[in-house]
Amino acid sequence: ILADNYKAFDFQLGVRGEHTHRVLESSKEWANRTVNRFELFPSVHLGYTFPKDHHVMASFSYRTTRPQLFYMEPYITYRDYYSAEIGNPDILPEYIYVYELNYRKNIGEHAVSATLFHRNRKDKIERLRVPYEAGVTLDSMANVGNDYATGLELSIQAQPARWWNLTLNGSYYYYKVKNKLKDSGGANETSRNYEIMLNNGFSAGKNTRIQLDGNLVGPSVTTQGKTDAFWYMNL
C-alpha cells in the first residue's frame, strides 16, 4: 500500500498478490483436483476534502470470493427426506470489480455518507436445484454466470449516548443476472433490490459490550427464479 496526501488531496494505491495451492483428494478419483494459481488484486482510492470537512472519494478495487471446502466435496448427502446435495470440484472463485463514488460529512460525534456504486461479479456462485429421485431434489453449487449491481447506499453513524453507538445503512440498486447455464431454464433477469441494516452497540460496564442488529433484505431475481424478502436479527 502506498498512501500520501497533498493539501486537500489524498490517495492510496494498493496491490495484493496471492498464490493459491489447493489439493483436493477423495475416494472418488474423478473428483481429484490440483490448483496452482497466482493472482494480483489492485485498488485505487482518490480523495478530496472540501472546507467544513466535506470529503469526497472515488475508488476502484478488484476482489475475489473463494468457494468454501464443502462446496467441492463430491459426495451425495441428505439434508432431510426430500433434499440431497453434492459438491462441485470444478467450481471457480468469484471475481468482483467495484467502482464507488463516496461523499462523507462528519458532524461532531456523528457522520453521514452517500455512495454511488457499480459492482460487476464474474462467475457468480449460486446454489442450483434439479430433480434427483421421486420426491427428492439435488442441490449443488455452480458458477452460474455474471451479475451486475448499480445503485445508491446511504449510511448514518451516530452516538445518541456515551454508552450507545448506532449505525443505519440502506441501499437501493438495479440488479441484473446474466445466466450462462443453458439447462437452468432462464435467461437474463433483472430486479430492483433494497437492503436495510440497523446496528446498535451498547456498553454494559467496563469490559462488556452488547450488540443488537436488525436486517431487511428485499426480493431479488436469481438464476432459477427469485427470492422473497426476508428479515433477521442478531443479539
Side-chain angles (χ1 to χ4, degrees):
I1 294 176
L2 174 64
D4 204 349
N5 62 78
Y6 175 74
K7 295 184 178 179
F9 289 94
D10 59 89
F11 73 91
Q12 178 177 295
L13 308 176
V15 63
R16 187 176 76 253
E18 293 190 5
H19 176 256
T20 300
H21 175 66
R22 186 180 71 230
V23 179
L24 181 65
E25 296 181 344
S26 72
S27 59
K28 298 182 181 294
E29 294 185 0
W30 61 266
N32 293 344
R33 300 287 189 277
T34 300
V35 173
N36 279 293
R37 183 170 55 236
F38 179 77
E39 298 165 300
L40 294 174
F41 299 96
S43 63
V44 180
H45 303 269
L46 304 174
Y48 184 84
T49 301
F50 292 90
K52 298 184 179 180
D53 203 25
H54 296 274
H55 187 73
V56 175
M57 182 175 67
S59 64
F60 162 79
S61 60
Y62 180 48
R63 309 171 185 173
T64 186
T65 302
R66 293 185 174 82
Q68 300 182 46
L69 178 61
F70 74 89
Y71 289 1
M72 309 177 202
E73 294 176 348
Y75 310 104
I76 294 179
T77 58
Y78 278 78
R79 292 201 303 272
D80 52 49
Y81 289 110
Y82 311 105
S83 56
E85 62 183 2
I86 185 172
N88 177 4
D90 291 316
I91 196 166
L92 300 172
E94 297 177 335
Y95 295 98
I96 307 105
Y97 298 87
V98 180
Y99 306 85
E100 295 183 341
L101 179 62
N102 174 266
Y103 164 79
R104 181 181 177 89
K105 167 65 175 175
N106 295 323
I107 308 171
E109 299 293 332
H110 317 301
V112 295
S113 66
T115 303
L116 290 171
F117 63 85
H118 175 73
R119 299 174 186 138
N120 175 8
R121 176 166 48 178
K122 178 185 176 184
D123 294 326
K124 169 181 166 63
I125 296 175
E126 192 172 299
R127 182 181 298 275
L128 296 182
R129 176 166 293 178
V130 297
Y132 179 52
E133 296 176 343
V136 180
T137 58
L138 180 65
D139 291 359
S140 184
M141 306 302 291
N143 299 106
V144 298
N146 300 347
D147 70 353
Y148 310 85
T150 303
L152 174 67
E153 181 178 22
L154 301 175
S155 177
I156 299 174
Q157 298 176 348
Q159 189 170 3
R162 292 183 60 185
W163 47 270
W164 180 15
N165 290 309
L166 181 148
T167 301
L168 175 63
N169 290 329
S171 62
Y172 182 80
Y173 55 95
Y174 174 80
Y175 181 67
K176 177 182 177 180
V177 177
K178 187 175 182 181
N179 175 24
K180 289 186 176 181
L181 298 182
K182 296 180 180 179
D183 59 351
S184 65
N188 298 346
E189 299 288 347
T190 62
S191 61
R192 285 173 170 77
N193 297 10
Y194 60 87
E195 299 175 9
I196 301 173
M197 186 275 289
L198 176 63
N199 182 282
N200 296 275
F202 304 99
S203 298
K206 183 178 180 180
N207 300 310
T208 304
R209 300 292 183 271
I210 299 174
Q211 180 173 300
L212 171 66
D213 65 69
N215 302 267
L216 172 64
V217 181
S220 176
V221 295
T222 67
T223 302
Q224 289 189 305
K226 66 178 182 178
T227 58
D228 291 333
F230 63 93
W231 65 272
Y232 60 95
M233 299 180 67
N234 296 304
L235 176 62

